[in-house]
Amino acid sequence: MKPLLIFVLVISMIGLASYKLAKFIPDQGYIFERDSEVEKKGASPHNGKGSSTGYSFFEQAAGYEFAFRKRVLHAGATIGYHTQAEDEVYYILSGTGVMMINGQQMHVKAGDAILTRTGSSHGLAQSGKEDLTLIITYKK
């Protein structure tokens, strides 16, 4: 029984090492990342209130010109009101929130997409009982 267990462990370790190497080889034509690898808990962006969890994907990818991020606003958290430097898309994955754009308030929920244009101002507040989870993307 011991030799079988040792064999399984060795094969598992080799497989894990190959898995970790394969997902970051640029000449393969892709980069694979997981939430757990890029997760950062902390303050909300743009001097927002409360805590949030951010996931910045492909930050180390040479020559990649886009930001692709997931943000989770926890109970009572906000993304502070700020002026947009470049076009940016917010896509709501789950939860509900209140978005302020150019001084006007709108309610947002899962399935909503918002394009904020260069020069506009906006902020977002989590509302409801569950976390507000969204994808944010823009050209760097």
Side-chain angles (χ1 to χ4, degrees), residues 20-79:
K20 287 199 175 280
L21 289 174
K23 65 183 181 167
F24 294 111
I25 299 173
D27 63 353
Q28 294 285 324
Y30 68 92
I31 297 173
F32 180 92
E33 294 181 340
R34 294 178 187 255
D35 280 359
S36 60
E37 297 166 343
V38 298
E39 176 183 58
K40 291 182 185 168
K41 296 181 181 190
S44 293
H46 300 288
N47 297 312
K49 297 177 184 175
S51 65
S52 70
T53 305
Y55 306 82
S56 294
F57 295 94
F58 317 119
E59 290 291 308
Q60 305 304 315
Y64 187 60
E65 298 179 3
F66 295 92
F68 183 83
R69 298 180 174 164
K70 181 169 94 171
R71 173 72 57 184
V72 178
L73 297 176
H74 305 296
T78 67
I79 294 175

Side-chain angles (χ1 to χ4, degrees), residues 76-99:
T78 67
I79 294 175
Y81 197 74
H82 61 283
T83 301
Q84 195 57 44
E86 64 282 309
D87 286 353
E88 179 178 58
V89 174
Y90 281 33
Y91 182 78
I92 311 299
L93 293 172
S94 64
T96 58
V98 177
M99 189 160 206

Side-chain angles (χ1 to χ4, degrees), residues 106-131:
M106 70 172 71
H107 294 273
V108 295
K109 63 183 181 353
D112 291 347
I114 304 96
L115 169 61
T116 59
R117 304 306 306 254
T118 302
S120 67
S121 296
H122 66 276
L124 178 62
Q126 180 273 347
S127 64
K129 295 180 181 182
E130 66 177 288
D131 289 341

